[in-house]
Amino acid sequence: MANPIKTVAGDMKTLWHLAVRRAKGKTHAERLENFYSGQANNYDDFRRRMLHSREEMIQSVDVPDGGVWVDLGAGTGENAEHIGPDIEKLSQMYLIDLSESLLDQAQQRIDARGWGNVKPVCHDATTFVPQEGQADVVTFSYSLTMIPDWFRAIDHAYSLLKPGGKIGVVDFYVSRKHPDDALKKHPWGTRSFWQPWFASDNVFLSPDHIPYLLNKFEKVKLDERRGKIPYLPFIRAPHYLFIGQKPVDAVGQE
């Protein structure tokens, strides 16, 4: 059972980084490392209560026998645990992130679980290519909002996937002012509050994630939801869960 005093102390440290300390650095990698280095040890516990639907997203994807899974913006590698025992089916899983501090936590998790087919790699999500050349699954778990060129990251994921390969995304977002009829429409207050609130920590919510994903991939599953934020009991932040498939007849590395 978790120690409540230790939990609150860890939360306060994380909240200090979120609300007070600003990420510094000339490059995106430097800013990420500066932001996460002081909270890496508390990262999983706090985010577990803030980043909703991650486990469901991971478990909505069938694990391919002998397949390659690339998790872009993998952080501490907790998504690998959400796969469960089926992780043994994979020939390789790559955990890609630009924060060395978070990847150190991922390596500790790998060592503790004895996973021989999971590898953390410090690399840009828009350019990483596995040694196998292509992947069967690519996932983004609350990472697209932290990638400046998120559209390039999605394009790159498309190019990495084999025809018929699956993409899974879960992230915060706001709707367009005038979304398609099939999508949810957020009121002005939601769109006006959450974008600047998250942007202060270099998390940039976009109204274009879902439309872009729907344009690139065949939809398998899409849910638009809201979830609790720790210590903010009366408000819910909007997030989405998307599972898509690269068309089976897709040709080339588009």
Side-chain angles (χ1 to χ4, degrees), residues 71-112:
D71 193 29
L72 296 171
T76 63
E78 187 175 16
N79 283 342
E81 289 190 351
H82 295 328
I83 296 174
D86 282 349
I87 197 170
E88 296 180 2
K89 293 182 180 180
L90 296 171
S91 65
Q92 191 70 54
M93 183 176 191
Y94 294 95
L95 306 178
I96 310 305
D97 207 283
L98 281 173
S99 171
E100 292 277 12
S101 296
L102 295 183
L103 290 176
D104 286 345
Q105 296 293 314
Q107 185 62 63
Q108 292 178 34
R109 173 176 269 116
I110 291 167
D111 293 342

Side-chain angles (χ1 to χ4, degrees), residues 183-204:
L183 302 177
K184 287 191 176 181
K185 181 177 181 178
H186 292 151
W188 175 86
T190 296
R191 291 183 283 109
S192 300
F193 175 76
W194 288 112
Q195 281 186 306
W197 193 84
F198 277 103
S200 65
D201 290 320
N202 293 316
V203 177
F204 298 103

Side-chain angles (χ1 to χ4, degrees), residues 133-217:
Q134 285 192 290
D136 299 272
V137 179
V138 175
T139 48
F140 296 91
S141 177
Y142 289 94
S143 55
L144 274 183
T145 45
M146 301 194 73
I147 299 173
D149 295 331
W150 60 266
F151 47 90
R152 286 184 58 199
I154 293 175
D155 288 347
H156 186 58
Y158 185 94
S159 73
L160 287 180
L161 284 170
K162 300 174 182 177
K166 297 293 196 307
I167 183 172
V169 186
V170 61
D171 216 325
F172 296 115
Y173 82 118
V174 291
S175 74
R176 288 178 172 176
K177 183 177 181 180
H178 301 292
D180 290 345
D181 291 341
L183 302 177
K184 287 191 176 181
K185 181 177 181 178
H186 292 151
W188 175 86
T190 296
R191 291 183 283 109
S192 300
F193 175 76
W194 288 112
Q195 281 186 306
W197 193 84
F198 277 103
S200 65
D201 290 320
N202 293 316
V203 177
F204 298 103
L205 277 58
S206 174
D208 297 322
H209 281 188
I210 293 175
Y212 199 73
L213 287 164
L214 289 171
N215 184 62
K216 296 287 292 187
F217 299 93

Side-chain angles (χ1 to χ4, degrees), residues 2-18 35-51 54 75-76 78 101-102 104-106 108-109 230-231:
N3 184 325
I5 297 177
K6 184 177 180 181
T7 297
V8 172
D11 285 355
M12 293 305 102
K13 183 177 182 181
T14 300
L15 285 168
W16 183 84
H17 280 82
L18 290 173
F35 183 66
Y36 283 119
S37 59
Q39 53 176 309
N41 291 335
N42 304 308
Y43 181 93
D44 285 335
D45 184 62
F46 187 84
R47 263 59 177 200
R48 197 173 290 123
R49 289 172 282 135
M50 179 176 176
L51 307 183
R54 291 188 300 164
T76 63
E78 187 175 16
S101 296
L102 295 183
D104 286 345
Q105 296 293 314
Q108 292 178 34
R109 173 176 269 116
Y231 302 101

